[in-house]
């Protein structure tokens, strides 16, 4: 027995900024997915996943009933029967493994759920995001709910500000295009919570706060606008600025062995790197005007193209 598929996501722009009301743009990434499943003879992996679901089910029992009601009895019966989340989405890589799981559970067990088929007003999107934030905070402390929302809707989401989000369209890909957005595998598992703590600590510093507002958020917002408009020339200019600001001010979020490679991209203009989610490991996001040149410059690294233009 296998349920519907829920996909991974990529926050193209907006990491950290969206905590402070910058814009953000998040897209589904269909390369990885997961589904709820029950097997006759579960593997060790399936058993571990099932254990994690058991703990999650216990947590969901305690959620505020005014926000969302789950069919807890059915959920409990299913996890007792060995249900697990059969998923190819890597964990701690910034592509939303817990988000896809949350979306799958909501889809299967929430009563009166908001569905993808109805007219998704901003109000409904915000309610969904609030429910998902509550659910996902089980996995990593505070959550914005954006990852599960993305996975649940399977649509790109534009974050205008904290309380203003909308499903959006993005320019269609050009199969033959040399321009690309790619993932670079750092080979290290990252963790969101400690990275967000470092960020919050830095925010106590006035210099950091001004940098965030006058540079980081400014460039992030410009990148989102450029991407949606399909203005790739301007996008590269702004991504370069963003890449520079991140290298100078978000060093703890960039694994040490990638500092040089990051700088090399800025010096040669062969590619520009930015954080993918909270950083600290997992994937790093790259932008290039010519993927062949980027591949050559990043020889020996694992790249996955996620978008061509
Ligand atoms: N297949 C799975 N089965 C059970 N639990 C899972 C599964 N995949 C992810 N999880 C849960 O989600 C947690 C990982 O979530 P976390 O938010 O730390 O990382 P992520 O969602 O992969 O990354 P990010 O939030 O940066 O995109 C795991 O520790 C586990 O509890
Ligand atoms: C780092 C952060 O901005 C994005 C992580 O995917 C945290 C968040 O907004 O939930």
């Amino acid at each position: 027995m296998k349920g519907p598929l829920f996909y991974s996501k990529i926050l193209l722009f907006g990491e950290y900024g969206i905590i402070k009301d910058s814009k953000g743009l998040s897209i589904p990434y269909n390369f990885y997915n997961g589904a709820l499943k029950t097997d006759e003879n579960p593997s060790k992996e399936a058993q571990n996943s099932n254990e994690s679901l058991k703990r999650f089910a216990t947590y969901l029992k305690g959620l505020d009933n005014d926000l969302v009601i789950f069919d807890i009895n059915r959920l409990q019966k299913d996890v007792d029967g060995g249900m697990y989340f059969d998923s190819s989405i890597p964990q701690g890589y910034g592509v939303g493994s817990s988000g896809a799981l949350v979306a799958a559970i909501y889809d299967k067990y929430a009563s009166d759920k908001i569905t993808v088929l109805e007219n998704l007003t901003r109000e409904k999107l915000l309610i969904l995001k609030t429910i998902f934030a509550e659910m996902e905070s089980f996995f990593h402390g505070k959550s914005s709910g954006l990852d599960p929302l993305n996975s649940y809707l399977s649509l790109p989401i534009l974050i205008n500000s904290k309380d203003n989000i909308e499903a959006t369209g993005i320019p269609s890909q050009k199969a033959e295009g040399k321009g690309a957005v790619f993932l670079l595998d750092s080979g290290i598992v990252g963790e969101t919570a400690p990275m967000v703590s470092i960020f919050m600590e830095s925010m106590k510093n006035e210099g950091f706060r001004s940098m965030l507002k006058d540079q980081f958020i400014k460039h992030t917002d410009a990148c989102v606008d450029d991407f949606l408009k399909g203005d790739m020339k301007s996008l590269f200019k702004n991504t370069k600025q963003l890449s520079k600001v991140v290298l100078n001010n978000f060093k703890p979020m960039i694994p040490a062995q990638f500092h040089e490679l990051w700088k090399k991209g800025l010096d040669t203009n062969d590619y520009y790197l930015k954080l993918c989610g909270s950083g600290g490991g997992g994937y790093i996001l790259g932008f290039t005007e010519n993927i062949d040149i980027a591949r050559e410059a990043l020889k020996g690294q694992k790249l996955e193209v996620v978008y061509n233009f």
Side-chain angles (χ1 to χ4, degrees):
M1 241 184 49
K2 189 163 172 173
L5 296 180
F6 290 88
Y7 295 99
S8 52
K9 62 83 211 193
I10 295 173
L11 182 62
L12 285 178
F13 300 105
E15 65 284 349
Y16 296 105
I18 54 176
I19 300 176
K20 295 289 159 195
D21 258 4
S22 78
K23 291 194 185 193
L25 181 63
S26 173
I27 60 170
Y29 181 43
N30 295 352
F31 186 70
Y32 296 118
N33 61 53
L36 291 168
K37 201 176 164 199
T38 308
D39 286 343
E40 286 288 318
N41 295 304
S43 63
K44 188 82 202 106
E45 212 183 341
Q47 289 173 36
N48 288 340
S49 169
N50 173 252
E51 285 305 317
S52 163
L53 285 197
K54 278 186 182 148
R55 289 189 293 273
F56 189 38
T58 305
Y59 169 80
L60 292 179
K61 274 182 213 163
L63 278 194
D64 183 358
N65 272 346
D66 289 341
L67 188 62
V68 56
I69 297 173
F70 292 101
D71 187 343
I72 290 290
N73 291 338
R74 189 159 55 88
L75 172 60
Q76 193 61 53
K77 196 169 138 272
D78 289 348
V79 291
D80 289 345
M83 182 176 73
Y84 69 103
F85 192 55
D86 183 19
S87 170
S88 60
I89 310 173
Q91 297 180 23
Y93 255 67
V95 285
S97 69
S98 55
L101 169 55
V102 164
I105 293 285
Y106 176 84
D107 179 62
K108 190 161 179 191
Y109 299 99
S111 320
D112 289 330
K113 64 179 182 185
I114 298 172
T115 70
V116 188
L117 299 174
E118 61 196 273
N119 178 19
L120 286 169
T121 57
R122 254 175 221 186
E123 285 70 31
K124 281 185 195 163
L125 284 179
L126 275 182
I127 294 170
L128 264 179
K129 185 166 167 282
T130 308
I131 293 171
F132 288 151
E134 281 294 312
M135 292 174 73
E136 200 186 27
S137 59
F138 171 74
F139 295 105
H140 53 204
K142 203 167 160 30
S143 154
S144 65
L146 186 66
D147 289 1
L149 187 65
N150 216 290
S151 187
Y152 186 65
L153 301 177
S154 247
L155 288 172
I157 293 173
L158 168 63
I159 304 115
N160 291 300
S161 66
K162 262 189 222 136
D163 303 324
N164 183 349
I165 54 171
E166 57 187 307
T168 186
I170 55 172
S172 54
Q173 299 199 50
K174 296 198 179 71
E176 302 301 318
K178 286 282 181 205
V181 182
F182 60 87
L183 294 173
L184 172 63
D185 186 347
S186 74
I188 301 161
V189 171
E191 261 190 284
T192 302
M195 292 296 127
V196 174
S197 296
I198 293 173
F199 173 75
M200 288 311 202
E201 203 49 42
S202 308
M203 283 299 284
K204 292 182 184 161
N205 176 310
E206 202 191 317
F208 189 88
R209 282 201 302 274
S210 337
M211 175 282 302
L212 195 86
K213 180 162 159 282
D214 302 334
Q215 302 178 52
F216 186 84
I217 291 184
K218 190 178 104 187
H219 299 314
T220 294
D221 288 358
C223 286
V224 171
D225 292 341
D226 290 339
F227 193 91
L228 291 177
K229 271 189 288 183
D231 186 345
M232 294 310 172
K233 207 168 146 59
S234 179
L235 176 69
F236 280 111
K237 233 175 68 201
N238 283 310
T239 311
K240 179 170 186 175
Q241 295 309 317
L242 183 61
S243 180
K244 226 185 262 178
V245 173
V246 173
L247 183 61
N248 291 333
N249 299 282
F250 287 76
K251 281 242 165 61
M253 285 76 170
I254 308 172
Q257 55 272 49
F258 289 90
H259 291 189
E260 267 310 304
L261 222 50
W262 199 290
K263 185 166 179 304
K264 186 179 147 193
L266 287 167
D267 292 342
T268 59
N269 298 313
D270 287 347
Y271 57 84
Y272 304 125
L273 301 181
K274 69 175 287 295
L275 298 176
C276 178
S278 53
Y283 287 119
I284 293 168
L285 256 182
F287 285 74
T288 178
E289 285 182 275
N290 188 319
I291 188 66
D292 301 334
I293 292 175
R295 276 193 201 282
E296 188 58 33
L298 292 166
K299 223 180 198 156
Q301 300 292 333
K302 274 202 264 171
L303 301 194
E304 277 168 40
V305 171
V306 299
Y307 187 88
N308 282 101
F309 46 82

